């Protein structure tokens, strides 16, 4: 008989999930969004929470309900070749190519540069080397991840964060309602906030971290699939509530800062100004510690998830420890290219991956209605793939678009796809593909789950 979790164990599991999800990007993006949204903060925050909180929660639940062992297993409901492509691209995106290097460059840019007074490649190299050495130390001990992240690093990070947030509300810099919205937040605050949530990469990470939380539940004595799903979902709800509260606090703090500061070039600079305003000379050190802790715990989870997944997909290639070392070394290398380049080239990949991720999550949540049949998955993903590719191309850096002479292509296709002006051009094709898949499934004589 399966063990029943105590409230304390649910809290620890929720803390583990929060610790894996909540990194530096989760700090810098909502704070800057609040500054830019101003009086339109409520609508922007609602959109941000859908993609930044709701989708990650649904991703965890989808993995559990479909009884998948991880992202690769879930992707195989479309087909094995697609799953291999999608899983590798997603893990490489949230892993060594984009998100993992960002976990080192963000604390360096936000916390270290203001303290040392200048941006130095040598200092970045030394900092990132030390950072990834610590990450690898913990990642090589995956069985201890519940203790290392859920019981130690995460509570320490939350203590640092709570002090800064409380100060923002005890001594507010200004009124949210008096801050004029800027940019796209003037006309489309909800949709701009929705797309801004992509930058957290948490919906992608939810599919990647699913295997970690499921294994943690198993290690605590729960073995039955339905009980694993229930325990994982309850822990996910606790994590989602905590994330939503913190996002709301950060967005409001960012909006209030308009009473003193102009809109900043990035969220890291804004957080540095907030810390310096409230804590004076020690503000930079305080922020450096907070940001480093946030990134450290996320990086440990990412290396662990990537190494475990690639070890399972390619069992005869490298061991878990070897994959962990490889991903850590690649991340260290890319981190030394700098934060600006990492963010610039990650956006097109995110714009391509997110529609595919959202669709497979939503289809999996109701997959029991059609026995998780591959027909529905394939038509839904197939129709989503075209606008997803277009979104990726449209989001390339302007210099790249110009060099490839893509301006005419982007204008013509954007004029054809509905909702393209607000970045939601994948929605209609996805719905059409899903309906077609359901109709074809209903017409089949064999309603069993087709082989992938």
């Amino acid at each position: 008989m399966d063990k029943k979790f105590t409230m304390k164990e649910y809290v620890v599991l929720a803390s583990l999930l929060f610790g894996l999800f909540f990194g530096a990007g989760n700090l810098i993006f909502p704070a800057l969004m609040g500054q830019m949204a101003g009086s339109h903060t409520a609508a922007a925050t609602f959109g941000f929470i859908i993609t930044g909180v709701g989708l990650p929660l649904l991703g965890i639940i989808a993995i559990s309900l479909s009884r998948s062992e991880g992202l690769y297993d879930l992707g195989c409901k479309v087909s094995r070749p697609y799953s291999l492509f999608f899983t590798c691209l997603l893990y490489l995106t949230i892993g060594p190519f984009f998100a993992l290097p960002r976990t080192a460059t963000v604390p360096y840019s936000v916390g270290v540069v203001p303290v040392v007074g200048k941006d130095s490649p040598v200092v970045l190299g030394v900092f990132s080397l030390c950072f990834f050495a610590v990450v690898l130390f913990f990642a090589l001990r995956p069985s201890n991840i519940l203790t290392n992240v859920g019981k130690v690093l995460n509570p320490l990070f939350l203590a640092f964060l709570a002090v800064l947030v409380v100060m923002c509300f005890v001594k507010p810099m200004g009124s949210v309602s008096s801050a004029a919205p800027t940019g796209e937040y003037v006309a489309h605050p909800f949709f701009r906030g929705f797309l801004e949530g992509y930058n957290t990469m948490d919906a992608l990470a939810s599919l990647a971290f699913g295997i970690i939380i499921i294994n943690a539940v198993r290690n605590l004595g729960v073995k039955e699939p339905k009980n694993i799903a229930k325990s994982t979902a309850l822990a996910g709800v606790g994590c989602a509530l905590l994330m939503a509260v913190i996002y709301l606090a950060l967005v409001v703090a960012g909006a209030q800062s308009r009473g003193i500061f102009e809109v900043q070039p990035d969220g890291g600079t804004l957080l540095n100004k907030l810390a310096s305003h409230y804590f004076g000379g020690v503000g930079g050190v305080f922020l450096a510690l907070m940001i480093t802790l946030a990134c450290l715990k996320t990086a440990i989870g990412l290396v662990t998830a990537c190494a475990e997944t690639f070890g399972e997909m390619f069992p005869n290639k490298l061991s878990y420890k070897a994959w962990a070392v490889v991903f850590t070394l690649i991340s260290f290398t890319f981190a030394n290219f700098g934060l600006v380049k990492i963010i610039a080239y990650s956006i097109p990949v995110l714009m391509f991956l997110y529609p595919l991720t959202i669709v497979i999550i939503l289809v999996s949540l109701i997959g029991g209605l059609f026995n998780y049949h591959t027909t529905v998955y394939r038509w839904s993903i197939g129709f989503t793939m075209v606008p997803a590719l277009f979104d990726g191309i449209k989001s390339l850096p302007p210099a790249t678009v110009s060099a490839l002479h893509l301006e005419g292509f982007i204008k013509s296709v954007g004029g054809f796809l509905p909702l393209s002006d607000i970045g939601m051009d994948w929605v209609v094709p996805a719905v059409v593909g899903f309906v077609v898949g359901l109709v074809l499934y209903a017409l089949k004589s064999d309603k069993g789950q087709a082989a992938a």
Side-chain angles (χ1 to χ4, degrees):
M1 184 176 178
D2 274 353
K3 171 186 175 181
K4 291 186 177 180
F5 284 170
T6 64
M7 180 59 68
K8 180 180 178 180
E9 287 172 320
Y10 275 122
V11 170
V12 172
L13 282 172
S15 178
L16 167 63
L17 266 177
F18 177 85
L20 293 174
F21 280 127
F22 208 91
N26 304 78
L27 288 171
I28 63 177
F29 292 118
L32 182 63
M33 185 184 75
Q35 259 213 329
M36 299 181 69
S39 59
H40 289 174
T41 287
T45 303
F46 184 49
F48 185 90
I49 285 178
I50 290 176
T51 47
V53 178
L55 283 178
L57 172 60
L58 294 180
I60 292 292
I61 295 175
I63 289 283
S64 301
L65 288 178
S66 63
R67 299 187 179 182
S68 301
E69 289 297 314
L71 175 57
Y72 179 76
D73 191 24
L74 182 64
C76 281
K77 298 182 187 305
V78 181
S79 73
R80 293 189 185 278
Y82 173 81
S83 184
L84 185 64
F85 160 76
F86 183 64
T87 302
C88 288
L89 182 59
L90 187 145
Y91 271 95
L92 291 174
T93 299
I94 67 167
F97 287 170
F98 296 118
L100 263 171
R102 193 174 73 180
T103 61
T105 55
V106 168
Y108 166 76
S109 299
V110 177
V112 177
V113 171
V115 173
V116 301
K118 64 177 182 178
D119 183 4
S120 167
V122 175
V123 177
L124 173 60
V126 173
F127 176 82
S128 57
L129 179 63
C130 296
F131 180 89
F132 283 114
V134 174
V135 169
L136 184 60
F137 174 82
F138 284 107
L140 290 177
R141 296 157 178 79
S143 60
N144 296 326
I145 192 169
L146 182 62
T147 298
N148 295 332
V149 175
K151 294 182 179 179
V152 180
L153 292 179
N154 192 53
L156 190 58
F157 162 71
L158 285 175
F160 279 126
L161 179 61
V163 175
L164 179 59
V165 169
V166 168
M167 289 299 296
C168 290
F169 282 88
V170 171
K171 297 181 179 180
M173 297 181 183
S175 170
V176 174
S177 59
S178 63
T182 62
E184 295 181 44
Y185 291 100
V186 176
H188 305 292
F190 171 81
F191 291 108
R192 184 61 250 171
F194 186 94
L195 295 177
E196 193 66 29
Y198 285 13
N199 287 319
T200 67
M201 299 191 191
D202 283 345
L204 309 184
S206 70
L207 300 181
F209 288 152
I211 190 173
I212 294 180
I213 189 65
I214 288 172
N215 286 339
V217 170
R218 286 172 176 162
N219 290 338
L220 289 174
V222 177
K223 306 299 181 183
E224 286 293 324
K226 65 177 182 179
N227 292 333
I228 291 176
K230 177 183 176 182
S231 301
T232 302
L234 288 175
V237 170
C239 169
L241 290 174
L242 180 58
M243 289 175 69
V245 169
I246 293 177
Y247 282 149
L248 180 61
L250 287 169
V251 172
V252 171
Q256 289 176 341
S257 71
R258 288 282 296 281
I260 296 179
F261 304 124
E262 295 295 326
V263 175
Q264 299 299 304
D266 58 75
T269 303
L270 172 59
L271 286 176
N272 189 272
K273 286 183 176 291
L274 289 175
S276 298
H277 174 80
Y278 287 113
F279 304 109
V282 300
V285 176
F286 175 86
L287 185 65
L289 288 172
M290 186 173 72
I291 292 291
T292 302
L293 281 174
C295 289
L296 184 63
K297 58 187 178 52
T298 300
I300 294 169
L302 287 173
V303 171
T304 301
C306 289
E308 286 183 346
T309 299
F310 274 75
E312 290 180 0
M313 287 195 302
F314 308 104
N316 299 321
K317 302 298 182 181
L318 298 174
S319 65
Y320 166 82
K321 290 186 176 181
W323 279 117
V325 171
V326 168
F327 287 137
T328 303
L329 289 175
I330 295 175
S331 302
F332 166 73
T333 302
F334 276 91
N336 283 273
F337 287 131
L339 179 60
V340 174
K341 290 183 179 179
I342 291 172
I343 292 178
Y345 285 97
S346 67
I347 292 176
V349 182
L350 291 178
M351 294 301 291
F352 168 69
L353 279 175
Y354 252 89
L356 300 174
T357 300
I358 293 172
V359 169
I360 200 169
I361 287 175
L362 295 180
V363 171
S364 296
L365 287 174
I366 57 175
L369 299 176
F370 49 86
N371 199 28
Y372 299 96
H373 202 281
T374 57
T375 297
V376 181
Y377 277 92
R378 287 173 179 173
W379 281 93
S380 300
I381 293 297
F383 270 61
T384 307
M385 181 71 72
V386 175
L389 281 169
F390 171 69
D391 284 345
I393 294 172
K394 185 172 64 173
S395 303
L396 289 169
T400 304
V401 171
S402 178
L404 296 175
H405 305 290
L406 295 172
E407 295 91 344
F409 169 78
I410 291 174
K411 183 177 180 179
S412 60
V413 176
F416 172 76
L417 289 173
L419 305 179
S420 178
D421 58 327
I422 56 175
M424 305 293 287
D425 45 39
W426 56 271
V427 173
V428 174
V431 171
V432 172
F434 177 71
V435 172
V436 171
L438 276 181
V439 171
L440 294 176
Y441 167 75
L443 295 175
K444 285 182 176 292
S445 57
D446 179 16
K447 296 293 194 297
Q449 181 176 343

